Amino acid sequence: MRITTWNINSVRLRAPLAVQLLEQVQPDALCLQETKCPDEHFPHQTFIDAGYPHIAIRGMKGYNGVAIISRLPFTSTDSLDWVGKQDCRHISATFSDGIELHNFYVPAGGDEPDTMKNEKFDHKLKFLEEMRDWFTANRKPDAPMVLVGDLNIAPLEHDVWSHKQLLKVVSHTPVEVERLAAVQNGLGWIDTARHVTPETEKLYTWWSYRARDWAAADKGRRLDHVWVTPPLGDKIKDSSVLRDARGWEKPSDHAPVTTQLG
DNA sequence: ATGGTCGGTTGCCGA
């Protein structure tokens, strides 16, 4: 099974790029974040025509929004609310082989890494706490699961262009990294990208729109992740970032990440 | 130290 995750930053604007991605990578399932699209306006037919007729969506006007677009049928789908908000940040689907796929868009958290001054940062930390609590309360480590998404945290030193310069920048602060580690340790999730690429090697999935030349500056962060539970650990065959996609015409600021299982 | 660019609930907010 091949799974791709991509923060598309508007599915209506970039549906043609998503089709290009499907043709190039040929995943079994594509998980999108920041679709920014109410369900009634989702471009279903574009994906059906591309050979991906199984679609689970949870979107709203203007903000957030997630989708799972699949070549394979689902046996069930679900969407959960987090931190008491109906803000379309999670969708899940189960496949006939029993694998349960969870797609998340974790809150970005604003600019100031101080919960007293910035309620968005508080929301982000609470969201991560609820993720840990939900999985530990409702699922066991021996369940075959995949967790993907824009987690908006670059946990490791070489997940950012400068560890030192980003220690106080939201996405790489110690408190967020610790909360994300708590989610990961809850069920013993395996970070598939770092299973394949050593921790000493720089690895990014996001580059700001604000850079004059994003590729030359290469001031990236690894915000997008694919995790699997222990039963799927020895099925990890590959993990790759499609950096080229960041250089496409009218790109998303995130690049797609693909993990090959089995 | 600051500002830089995107997308959509556009002349602002969130990222």
Side-chain angles (χ1 to χ4, degrees):
Chain A
M1 190 175 201
R2 184 180 302 156
I3 295 172
T4 299
T5 181
W6 189 30
N7 179 319
I8 193 169
N9 189 15
S10 173
V11 70
R12 281 176 287 184
L13 192 67
R14 282 188 254 278
L17 291 188
V19 171
Q20 186 177 327
L21 172 64
L22 290 170
E23 287 170 354
Q24 189 170 332
V25 175
Q26 305 243 319
D28 294 296
L30 170 63
C31 298
L32 300 175
Q33 305 85 34
E34 280 207 271
T35 55
K36 296 183 174 176
C37 182
D39 291 348
E40 61 270 27
H41 294 139
F42 196 87
H44 284 91
Q45 198 59 48
T46 302
F47 295 109
I48 294 168
D49 292 346
Y52 290 77
H54 308 288
I55 299 172
I57 54 175
R58 179 97 191 268
M60 61 191 283
K61 206 195 274 186
Y63 300 104
N64 311 330
V66 286
I68 301 175
I69 291 157
S70 177
R71 199 174 60 74
L72 307 170
F74 310 132
T75 56
S76 66
T77 66
D78 198 8
S79 175
L80 300 170
D81 293 331
W82 304 83
V83 200
K85 297 174 193 283
Q86 298 186 344
D87 57 356
C88 306
R89 293 180 179 276
H90 168 267
I91 193 155
S92 63
T94 306
F95 297 92
S96 53
D97 60 3
I99 292 179
E100 188 174 81
L101 171 62
H102 289 267
N103 176 16
F104 281 94
Y105 176 50
V106 171
D111 289 332
E112 178 70 52
D114 181 337
T115 58
M116 303 300 281
K117 295 187 210 159
N118 172 13
E119 64 182 33
K120 290 182 198 153
F121 193 67
D122 188 57
H123 177 218
K124 183 178 197 174
L125 297 186
K126 287 195 166 96
F127 193 103
L128 292 161
E129 278 168 37
E130 280 197 17
M131 281 176 73
R132 180 194 158 98
D133 291 347
W134 189 87
F135 280 102
T136 53
N138 295 288
R139 294 293 184 272
K140 298 245 187 301
D142 62 1
M145 295 192 289
V146 182
L147 187 162
V148 309
D150 177 2
L151 306 185
N152 265 314
I153 296 171
L156 302 173
E157 177 173 347
H158 295 293
D159 292 340
V160 294
W161 64 276
S162 169
H163 174 61
K164 261 192 158 173
Q165 286 179 255
L166 288 169
L167 274 170
K168 292 179 179 173
V169 174
V170 171
S171 71
H172 192 62
T173 66
V175 61
E176 297 166 79
V177 170
E178 187 189 327
R179 296 301 168 95
L180 187 68
V183 179
Q184 192 177 350
N185 295 337
L187 293 189
W189 292 99
I190 298 157
D191 175 349
T192 63
R194 288 308 186 184
H195 188 85
V196 170
T197 304
E199 292 191 6
T200 49
E201 195 172 308
K202 292 287 185 193
L203 191 60
Y204 314 136
T205 66
W206 173 88
W207 295 261
S208 172
Y209 281 129
R210 294 175 190 175
R212 226 188 321 246
D213 183 339
W214 71 273
D218 201 22
K219 292 184 172 181
R221 305 178 200 171
R222 189 171 70 101
L223 304 179
D224 303 275
H225 301 269
V226 180
W227 292 354
V228 298
T229 47
L232 299 178
D234 54 18
K235 291 188 155 39
I236 302 166
K237 300 296 183 228
D238 190 38
S239 165
S240 63
V241 179
L242 188 64
R243 185 184 165 110
D244 285 358
R246 183 61 180 80
W248 287 346
E249 184 98 6
K250 295 277 280 174
S252 168
D253 46 355
H254 293 253
V257 181
T258 300
T259 288
Q260 174 74 38
L261 298 170

